[in-house]
Amino acid sequence: MDNVKQITFGGGCFWCVESCFNMLNGVISAVSGYSGGHKNHPTYEEVCTGETGHAEVVQITYDADIISYEQLMDVFFFLHDPTQLNRQGNDIGTQYRSVIFYKDEEEKTRAELAVEASKKSGRWEGTYVTELSELEKFWAAEKYHQGYYNENPSQPYCSAVVGPKIQKFKKYFGELGMLKNEA
């Protein structure tokens, strides 16, 4: 694995985003966390107030020889509605914003191209509000958030929101042959 890379983005509640990315071939890990705010070591409770400026994000470590940046972006834009400002469904607040964090100018350019490709796909109607922000710091979320859906599938939010999104994801990306065997 000589071509290991990372990408960080937010697309609503990190529980379903993390769960889906961990099912993809080539993804080594997807870790729920926080980025884009002004407080060091934020807690979930602090981020939920909207006062720290952080977004709920997932940091994905992947093998670029198996899955490309563009494929990851396609999944990102499949999993959330990039036209909803500071919300995804009933999850409302700046912590649920659509955001791609980039590390350098090359990654910023690739993110801009991914946004344009998604717009051209026609998947989402309306004006895209996806932010592009430089990644300054990623803070891993508390341990209980990691793999949350897998540990709590019958929790009400998981069964009503996360579960159906995961089933839709598995159907679409499974047909494309992009899922790990155990998914």
Side-chain angles (χ1 to χ4, degrees):
M1 289 197 301
D2 295 332
N3 206 2
V4 174
K5 301 189 182 273
Q6 280 189 325
I7 185 170
T8 305
F9 40 62
C13 174
F14 49 33
W15 292 343
C16 55
V17 175
E18 176 218 303
S19 294
C20 291
F21 276 97
N22 272 320
M23 292 180 203
L24 291 170
N25 283 323
V27 170
I28 298 162
S29 68
V31 177
S32 293
Y34 316 109
S35 287
H38 54 78
K39 183 180 187 316
N40 289 335
H41 305 286
T43 66
Y44 179 71
E45 289 74 21
E46 291 169 331
V47 170
C48 284
T49 68
E51 294 175 12
T52 68
H54 291 88
E56 286 191 16
V57 299
V58 176
Q59 187 166 76
I60 296 151
T61 303
Y62 65 101
D63 183 339
D65 290 330
I66 298 173
I67 190 166
S68 70
Y69 179 90
E70 290 73 20
Q71 287 172 308
L72 292 168
M73 281 296 169
D74 190 41
V75 173
F76 170 68
F77 285 113
F78 179 88
L79 290 175
H80 83 292
D81 182 344
T83 69
Q84 291 190 344
L85 183 61
N86 298 328
R87 72 177 297 163
Q88 285 300 304
N90 290 328
D91 294 330
I92 300 171
T94 57
Q95 69 270 29
Y96 300 115
R97 67 189 179 270
S98 175
V99 58
I100 301 168
F101 289 96
Y102 59 88
K103 293 179 186 165
D104 55 34
E105 286 303 311
E106 178 189 344
E107 212 171 81
K108 180 181 181 184
T109 299
R110 292 179 85 184
E112 290 169 342
L113 291 170
V115 170
E116 288 307 311
S118 182
K119 286 179 183 178
K120 288 179 184 172
S121 77
R123 183 179 292 148
W124 300 103
E125 291 184 22
T127 303
Y128 276 54
V129 294
T130 303
E131 271 179 37
L132 299 182
S133 296
E134 187 170 4
L135 179 66
E136 293 179 14
K137 186 70 179 166
F138 168 79
W139 304 99
E142 295 82 352
K143 185 175 168 74
Y144 73 93
H145 286 297
Q146 310 307 327
Y148 189 86
Y149 175 77
N150 291 339
E151 298 296 322
N152 304 281
S154 60
Q155 188 262 15
Y157 182 87
C158 287
S159 61
V161 177
V162 183
K165 185 177 279 195
I166 288 174
Q167 292 310 310
K168 181 179 169 185
F169 164 83
K170 286 170 86 172
K171 182 177 184 329
Y172 184 81
F173 289 97
E175 289 173 1
L176 295 177
M178 292 178 62
L179 301 182
K180 294 175 183 173
N181 291 333
E182 63 268 16

